[in-house]
Amino acid sequence: QNYDHTNGGYYSMVGALAKSVNIPTVATYFDVGHSKLQETAKALGLNKELNPNPSTALGTNSFSLQKMVHAYVPFATRSNNVEPYYINSIKDHQGNIIYQHKAINKEQEPVLSPKTLETMQYLLKGVVDKGTAIRLKTSYATHGDWAGKTGTSQDYSDSWFIGFNSNIVI
C-alpha cells in the first residue's frame, strides 16, 4: 500500500515520484530488477550492498547524508560526479580570505548516460513543482529551477529532503 494507506489509481512516473506513491516505485523495482538497481547505486557512489527485496525501492537502506548528497550531484549537473565540499572559504575578522576551496577537475567517465541524468532531473523537478516538496517554492519562496526528493518513515518521525539546482545540492 501507499504511505497514505491507499492502494489504487494510475500514475505516471512523474506523478508517482512527485506524490511519493509507493506502488509504482515498487512495480518499477520488479521491472528493472535488483541487480540493475545495485549497479546504478554503485555508479552513484552508494557502494554498500542493497537489501535484495522490494522495500529497497522505497529507500529502506541506510546511507549517510554525505553519501546521499554526493549521489545526487550527477542529477544536478547532468554530467560527471564531482567531489562535494563543505567549506567554500574562511575569512578572518577583517574579511581577508585565509582559505579558499580550489576545485580539482579530473576527467571521469560519465556516471550514468546523459539521457538518464536528464530524465532523472525532469522526474525530480516534479517533486518541487507539484509534489511533496512544493512548499520549497510556495512557503519558503525559493527562486529558480529546483528539483529533489522527499522521504518519510515511521509516520513522519523521520523525514528528509534532498534538493538541487545546477549550482548546489542540499
Side-chain angles (χ1 to χ4, degrees), residues 18-133:
K19 301 294 184 184
S20 289
V21 182
N22 295 342
I23 294 171
T25 305
V26 172
T28 301
Y29 172 87
F30 285 119
D31 288 345
V32 170
H34 181 77
S35 61
K36 186 66 175 172
L37 182 63
Q38 182 70 60
E39 180 183 314
T40 303
K42 185 174 181 180
L44 294 169
L46 303 173
N47 293 321
K48 99 170 127 175
E49 197 64 32
L50 301 177
N51 298 327
N53 56 55
S55 67
T56 296
L58 303 177
T60 57
N61 291 272
S62 293
F63 290 97
S64 70
L65 179 59
Q66 178 182 3
K67 282 284 190 188
M68 290 302 297
V69 168
H70 190 209
Y72 273 70
V73 168
F75 303 142
T77 63
R78 288 191 190 177
S79 65
N80 295 330
N81 211 341
V82 295
E83 276 303 310
Y85 61 94
Y86 303 94
I87 298 174
N88 190 43
S89 65
I90 299 173
K91 298 177 182 179
D92 66 16
H93 68 286
Q94 295 175 329
N96 300 310
I97 296 175
I98 57 176
Y99 168 81
Q100 180 71 49
H101 171 76
K102 291 182 180 27
I104 300 171
N105 293 327
K106 51 185 174 181
E107 287 294 317
Q108 298 179 17
E109 288 294 313
V111 174
L112 299 171
S113 76
K115 183 161 179 68
T116 298
L117 294 171
E118 184 175 333
T119 300
M120 284 303 301
Q121 194 176 80
Y122 174 75
L123 292 171
L124 295 171
K125 276 180 55 55
V127 176
V128 175
D129 290 344
K130 56 185 171 244
T132 55

Side-chain angles (χ1 to χ4, degrees), residues 1-8 11 15-26 58 130-133 149-156 158-159:
Q1 66 182 0
N2 297 310
Y3 73 94
D4 62 357
H5 308 294
T6 62
N7 60 11
Y11 289 89
L17 284 176
K19 301 294 184 184
S20 289
V21 182
N22 295 342
I23 294 171
T25 305
V26 172
L58 303 177
K130 56 185 171 244
T132 55
K149 186 68 186 96
T150 61
T152 62
S153 64
Q154 311 303 327
D155 291 324
Y156 297 98
D158 180 20
S159 61

Side-chain angles (χ1 to χ4, degrees), residues 123-170:
L123 292 171
L124 295 171
K125 276 180 55 55
V127 176
V128 175
D129 290 344
K130 56 185 171 244
T132 55
I134 196 167
R135 288 179 42 194
L136 186 65
K137 289 189 172 186
T138 59
S139 297
Y140 300 109
T142 59
H143 302 285
D145 226 7
W146 285 92
K149 186 68 186 96
T150 61
T152 62
S153 64
Q154 311 303 327
D155 291 324
Y156 297 98
S157 65
D158 180 20
S159 61
W160 56 268
F161 171 71
I162 297 178
F164 61 88
N165 63 27
S166 60
N167 295 315
I168 191 169
V169 179
I170 57 170

